[in-house]
Amino acid sequence: MEVFANEYPDEAWVVRAALGSAFVALAIGGLMGLIQTLHRTGFYDSLISNADYYTVLTLHGVAMVLLFTIFFLVGFFQWAITDSLGRKSEDIRITKLWYGMMVLGSAMSAVTILGGFVDSGSLSGVEADVLYTFYAPLEAHPLYYMGLAVFIIGTWIAGFDWFRSWWAWKKENPDERMPLRTFMVLTTMLMWYLASLGVAISVVFFLIPWSLGIFDSVNSLLTRTLFWFFGHPVVYFWLMPVYMMWYVIMPKLAGGRLFSDPLARIVFVLFLVLSVPTGIHHQYVDPGIAEGFKFLAMTNTMFLLLPSLLTAFTVVASIEHGARQRGGEGYFGWLTALPWGKPAFTGMTLAGLMFAAAGFSGMINAGMSINYLVHNTLWVVGHFHMTVGTAVALSIMAATYWFLPKITGREIFSRRLGLAQVLLWFIGMVLMGNAMHRAGLAGVPRRTADPTYDQVIYDGAYGAIGELRFQIALGGVLLSLSLVLFFAHLVLSSFDIGERAAATPDSIPAPLSGPEQAPKVLDNIRLWTSIAVVLILITYILPLASIVTDGGGWLGDSYGVIVAEYVLPAVSSTIDIFVGVVA
Amino acid sequence: MEIHRYEKLWFGLSLLLIVGFIGTITYGAVGAGVQMVSDDGGTVEPSFSTINENEKFAQQEDNQAVHVEGNEYEVAVIAQRFSFQPGTGSPIQVPEDSRVTFYVTSPDVIHGFSVVGTNANTMVIPGQIAEITVEFDELDSDEPKEYGVVCHEFCGAGHEEMAGQIQVVPEDQWEGDA
Amino acid sequence: MSSETETTEDGIVREIGHDEFDPVGTLALILIYFVIIGGLWAFMYFVEFLGNGPTVV
């Protein structure tokens, strides 16, 4: 058996390129994060003006949650497909095409964001200080939206590329079960197609024509709702590759085997079915959406806890299996038999631990009325820095220590350095995440360059605001240091001077309860996609219709009619066609 | 399919947790009477002239809550880059022991209207009128009580300046129509 | 790292099959998590939220 990099050199090139892009985005986003954390807490606010803070914030958001996460995902998924099906890309030119499109789209959007720092010259007027949510009528340069569209179309082609591999494999292996990693990739991509339709419609039909001056206005609530149609499921697009790592890599690192393959499949099916019809929970305190629709979105969201709660059990049980095979005993004693010396294992475990805590603040966010307490406060920022910022980002960095040798053929530089890095990230985020949650409960708002106001006194029930600001700044500095260690490690690893030279190939062990135990219906992704579509229609058609008909007046009657008579039917028939084509 | 009995147990407990969460929120709506912001406030074309013609906004002459009947009052607030009118220039005044309905809308971009340290918190979206009703208790002393109000959604360079105040005034100092 | 950890990379001293494995440790951990989550939820809803008046009614 060969190392992946030698067996599939072309695919490994794309994987490395995608990871490279992801880490460039991580470096840029991390630098912006450091500037923000010091500016907003008042510890060093003379580097940028308050106006430039929002440019920094836009860049931080876009670089971290769209570019870093998704570039890593496409690289990791390319590996998962190629390695689990054991076949080369059907046409490597297509593979390179989608990667190229994603880079092009990123560059287009990045230029417009960076234009926000320039006040004169040829770039003046080119800006996109709209944050990563780009709520209209805040307006960005058209190129910002176009870049986003190109980037998303790139991901669509990537999904198509992976489906092609699966179709070709199935033809040659008609009686075999779909490999688990392939199953995870394909269900995730189906969810992504459904989810990204919302933002694609918003950008292509509304925001691009409007920013080009073809329309005078857009329905602000409509584009916002379409954004969140995409904006919540996108978090599962960040999370699914991490779940794949937790299911596939962690048991192996722990010296055990995946506890249950069928249960892992059920979890991914639940994500496919339930991820999209939840976006309205970001709009619990929006006017213009009736309470009943919000309650429905909450019910879906709460049931979406199920796959994550099941994952917690299955993954921990798989690790426990490893610990017991390594000689671990007792109710808790087995925890000491885990391979804590491996940065990949320790990093992913700490990430999972933080996800358990962040899962709780997510449950609070999901509770409809309790949103009055936390909506748009720093609580929410604390929540997603512990989820995407740690469960996802720390898992990605930790897994990289395991993954890098496979795609480069060289071992990592030093385990100890890796351990120090993941620990530092965890400690930094404990400080920052905890302080942000507490500041949010005191009412400190998010998304502002300076949260101090003459008119406002925060009642810091759990610690003075000054202490919380210090913790946020200190946490931010530790996170930045951790990033520096991570990048230093990547550079050192590329010279093949580590503790062990050249990677040794290894394989993923078989699950304890294998795919032969899983009912065949689980692999019927056409069925699950249809159910997902039905749920989406139930959750979204009525609120969207009421937003369009109520808002039609101020858009100009003719425009409202165009939307109601042409756009909505086009959307629903597109979805129908999509269901027909899948799998 | 074989599922371990511990896993079945955890599946059951997970469902219990989920149902418990939904049950708590349902209790909050039915028992504690917490209402969500909804489409009750209606819509208005997002420009100053049309907003000012709207019934609720036309009756808002200064910074004082408008008396409806009994202890019920109304306040109409325009959230705009980068102030609340009323609220920023001088505090919105409401009497103690009152039930006040806020109507909030925006002529420009999306804003937030959050009364700091309370659960009064809504998005302000151009074209939509957010309607929230809150109850202010009797004051503990003869002094007015102030609440800060902040815009919590990014609305452009200057967003960090957008704030205001609500002042709860003791009964005997209330100058508005009672 | 010492060469000892190299030779026993996975450190496996015994093979445990599907039927011999009861994840009691996992069950113990997850029950603790369940209790914490339930308690925190009640605290957040009834103390932090409902105690944070005025609330929208």
Side-chain angles (χ1 to χ4, degrees):
Chain A
M1 190 182 160
E2 280 254 47
V3 172
F4 184 83
N6 300 332
E7 199 168 354
Y8 306 103
D10 292 337
E11 288 75 9
W13 183 90
V14 175
V15 176
R16 283 196 302 272
L19 261 61
S21 305
F23 294 144
V24 168
L26 178 63
I28 296 171
L31 179 62
M32 297 302 118
L34 178 64
I35 295 171
Q36 277 166 259
T37 196
L38 295 177
H39 184 92
R40 180 188 155 121
T41 52
F43 283 91
Y44 186 68
D45 58 6
S46 48
L47 182 66
I48 53 168
S49 64
N50 279 345
D52 280 343
Y53 177 88
Y54 302 108
T55 309
V56 169
L57 180 55
T58 305
L59 195 52
H60 178 69
V62 170
M64 289 303 210
V65 302
L66 293 179
L67 305 185
F68 162 56
T69 49
I70 297 180
F71 269 116
F72 186 88
L73 173 143
V74 294
F76 191 66
F77 275 10
Q78 181 63 51
W79 164 79
I81 283 283
T82 306
D83 196 55
S84 69
L85 295 176
R87 64 185 296 129
K88 291 179 187 301
S89 175
E90 299 313 301
D91 184 345
I92 195 71
R93 288 171 305 178
I94 300 283
T95 312
K96 288 182 175 166
L97 170 74
W98 58 251
Y99 171 68
M101 282 185 74
M102 289 174 67
V103 172
L104 175 68
S106 311
M108 287 162 71
S109 297
V111 166
T112 60
I113 298 171
L114 290 170
F117 290 119
V118 184
D119 294 330
S120 60
S122 55
L123 266 181
S124 74
V126 178
E127 56 180 30
D129 293 341
V130 292
L131 312 193
Y132 94 101
T133 47
F134 49 89
Y135 296 138
L138 281 179
E139 191 174 355
H141 190 274
L143 206 59
Y144 177 80
Y145 306 113
M146 290 175 185
L148 192 69
V150 171
F151 180 82
I152 286 175
I153 294 168
T155 64
W156 288 352
I157 300 173
F160 170 73
D161 193 21
W162 300 328
F163 264 97
R164 265 183 88 190
S165 291
W166 151 244
W167 288 324
W169 183 89
K170 195 166 86 172
K171 212 171 253 173
E172 292 168 18
N173 305 275
D175 300 324
E176 286 205 47
R177 286 302 288 264
M178 195 188 296
L180 182 60
R181 279 176 285 166
T182 301
F183 183 87
M184 291 172 164
V185 169
L186 298 188
T187 45
T188 302
M189 290 315 291
L190 286 169
M191 184 277 286
W192 176 246
Y193 283 120
L194 294 174
S196 51
L197 210 54
V199 75
I201 290 169
S202 171
V203 164
V204 173
F205 289 100
F206 300 103
L207 298 177
I208 291 177
W210 167 66
S211 63
L212 288 171
I214 297 170
F215 304 149
D216 289 339
S217 61
V218 289
N219 183 334
S220 189
L221 181 57
L222 177 62
T223 48
R224 178 177 160 86
T225 306
L226 287 172
F227 177 82
W228 284 116
F229 181 100
F230 149 88
H232 192 71
V234 74
V235 313
Y236 300 108
F237 202 51
W238 308 331
L239 201 59
M240 290 305 93
V242 170
Y243 272 30
M244 190 198 285
M245 294 168 193
W246 291 354
Y247 276 110
V248 175
I249 305 175
M250 277 183 84
K252 184 198 156 47
L253 291 173
R257 291 156 65 187
L258 175 59
F259 189 52
S260 169
D261 170 296
L263 221 66
R265 287 177 202 247
I266 289 175
V267 162
F268 274 72
V269 163
L270 284 172
F271 277 115
L272 166 59
V273 169
L274 284 169
S275 285
V276 183
T278 56
I280 287 177
H281 76 224
H282 290 256
Q283 301 177 279
Y284 282 149
V285 301
D286 276 18
I289 300 175
E291 184 164 358
F293 300 140
K294 294 176 177 175
F295 192 87
L296 187 59
M298 175 181 74
T299 311
N300 291 340
T301 308
M302 289 296 188
F303 276 95
L304 198 46
L305 290 174
L306 199 57
S308 286
L309 292 170
L310 293 178
T311 295
F313 190 97
T314 308
V315 171
V316 176
S318 310
I319 295 170
E320 183 185 352
H321 178 252
R324 298 211 184 272
Q325 292 206 126
R326 291 159 59 95
E329 301 288 352
Y331 279 101
F332 302 107
W334 57 275
L335 289 166
T336 58
L338 288 167
W340 297 110
K342 294 179 184 172
F345 177 81
T346 302
M348 282 196 272
T349 306
L350 291 175
L353 183 63
M354 191 156 283
F355 194 55
F360 175 71
S361 63
M363 293 168 195
I364 297 296
N365 298 341
M368 187 169 68
S369 45
I370 204 167
N371 250 254
Y372 282 128
L373 174 64
V374 296
H375 179 79
N376 269 6
T377 67
L378 262 193
W379 166 283
V380 178
V381 185
H383 167 73
F384 63 69
H385 277 85
M386 288 167 69
T387 51
V388 66
T390 302
V392 174
L394 182 55
S395 289
I396 286 177
M397 290 187 282
T400 299
Y401 295 127
W402 176 83
F403 191 47
L404 205 61
K406 307 217 161 355
I407 56 167
T408 63
R410 280 190 289 266
E411 281 299 333
I412 58 161
F413 173 66
S414 157
R415 284 181 170 188
R416 273 180 212 174
L417 187 58
L419 270 180
Q421 186 263 319
V422 296
L423 262 175
L424 204 53
W425 187 275
F426 184 79
I427 294 166
M429 198 58 86
V430 166
L431 285 170
M432 193 169 102
N434 176 52
M436 281 178 163
H437 277 95
R438 284 164 54 192
L441 288 180
V444 178
R446 67 186 283 199
R447 298 192 145 177
T448 174
D450 179 5
T452 56
Y453 305 86
D454 296 338
Q455 298 98 325
V456 179
I457 298 161
Y458 297 110
D459 187 13
Y462 298 96
I465 291 294
E467 177 226 331
L468 295 178
R469 300 179 111 197
F470 174 72
Q471 284 184 36
I472 292 172
L474 178 63
V477 170
L478 294 182
L479 291 165
S480 305
L481 280 177
S482 173
L483 274 186
V484 169
L485 289 187
F486 179 68
F487 290 117
H489 205 162
L490 287 187
V491 171
L492 290 169
S493 299
S494 64
F495 295 111
D496 210 7
I497 49 173
E499 290 157 354
R500 294 165 297 165
T504 44
D506 56 5
S507 57
I508 309 286
L512 280 172
S513 168
E516 66 284 353
Q517 304 266 1
K520 274 254 156 73
V521 67
L522 276 181
D523 290 5
N524 188 346
I525 49 184
R526 187 191 296 246
L527 170 69
W528 304 122
T529 310
S530 311
I531 294 176
V533 170
V534 170
L535 268 180
I536 291 168
L537 293 177
I538 291 173
T539 315
Y540 267 106
I541 279 295
L542 288 177
L544 281 176
S546 88
I547 288 166
V548 169
T549 48
D550 291 351
W554 62 267
L555 280 170
D557 284 359
S558 59
Y559 188 61
V561 171
I562 290 170
V563 172
E565 291 201 348
Y566 300 101
V567 177
L568 283 184
V571 172
S572 74
S573 59
T574 311
I575 293 172
D576 289 345
I577 294 166
F578 171 72
V579 174
V581 170
V582 167
Chain B
M1 182 166 65
E2 198 183 345
I3 295 180
H4 194 278
R5 62 184 191 282
Y6 291 172
E7 193 127 35
K8 284 182 189 154
L9 172 66
W10 177 239
F11 184 82
L13 288 176
S14 299
L15 282 181
L16 186 68
L17 209 55
I18 290 167
V19 172
F21 289 163
I22 297 174
T24 316
I25 301 297
T26 308
Y27 159 78
V30 180
V34 182
Q35 297 279 311
M36 296 313 294
V37 186
S38 72
D39 54 356
D40 292 345
T43 60
V44 62
E45 190 185 317
S47 73
F48 274 112
S49 52
T50 37
I51 290 172
N52 285 326
E53 283 165 19
N54 180 282
E55 177 202 357
K56 301 297 179 194
F57 290 84
Q59 71 178 13
Q60 185 70 49
E61 288 174 350
D62 50 21
N63 62 330
Q64 280 182 332
V66 177
H67 186 225
V68 183
E69 57 174 9
N71 69 340
E72 291 183 16
Y73 293 80
E74 289 178 344
V75 181
V77 180
I78 298 177
Q80 57 174 328
R81 288 171 159 176
F82 299 100
S83 66
F84 297 103
Q85 292 186 351
T88 296
S90 52
I92 297 166
Q93 289 192 326
V94 300
E96 64 175 328
D97 192 19
S98 61
R99 188 180 168 94
V100 182
T101 302
F102 290 89
Y103 298 91
V104 197
T105 195
S106 159
D108 45 43
V109 298
I110 294 182
H111 297 281
F113 179 87
S114 170
V115 185
V116 175
T118 79
N119 294 325
N121 182 348
T122 181
M123 296 304 298
V124 184
I125 298 177
Q128 306 287 337
I129 300 173
E131 179 190 327
I132 54 172
T133 299
V134 300
E135 285 171 341
F136 292 99
D137 292 339
E138 271 182 57
L139 294 170
D140 300 332
S141 70
D142 297 341
E143 294 296 307
K145 181 175 180 180
E146 274 93 25
Y147 290 99
V149 180
V150 297
C151 169
H152 60 40
E153 186 54 79
F154 172 61
C155 55
H159 163 58
E160 69 281 351
E161 299 296 329
M162 187 165 169
Q165 263 188 348
I166 293 172
Q167 190 176 46
V168 186
V169 180
E171 190 89 48
D172 53 357
Q173 294 170 37
W174 175 247
E175 290 166 3
D177 178 22
Chain C
M1 292 285 147
S2 67
S3 61
E4 190 181 45
T5 50
E6 298 297 351
T7 49
T8 58
E9 180 67 33
D10 291 327
I12 295 173
V13 295
R14 58 186 173 198
E15 289 283 341
I16 301 175
H18 179 261
D19 297 335
E20 313 154 273
F21 176 53
D22 280 330
V24 284
T26 302
L27 185 68
L29 286 178
I30 212 128
L31 288 179
I32 293 171
Y33 183 61
F34 180 81
V35 170
I36 293 174
I37 292 290
L40 273 178
W41 170 269
F43 173 75
M44 283 297 297
Y45 196 88
F46 294 100
V47 180
E48 284 283 345
F49 172 56
L50 291 183
N52 193 46
T55 296
V56 177
V57 289

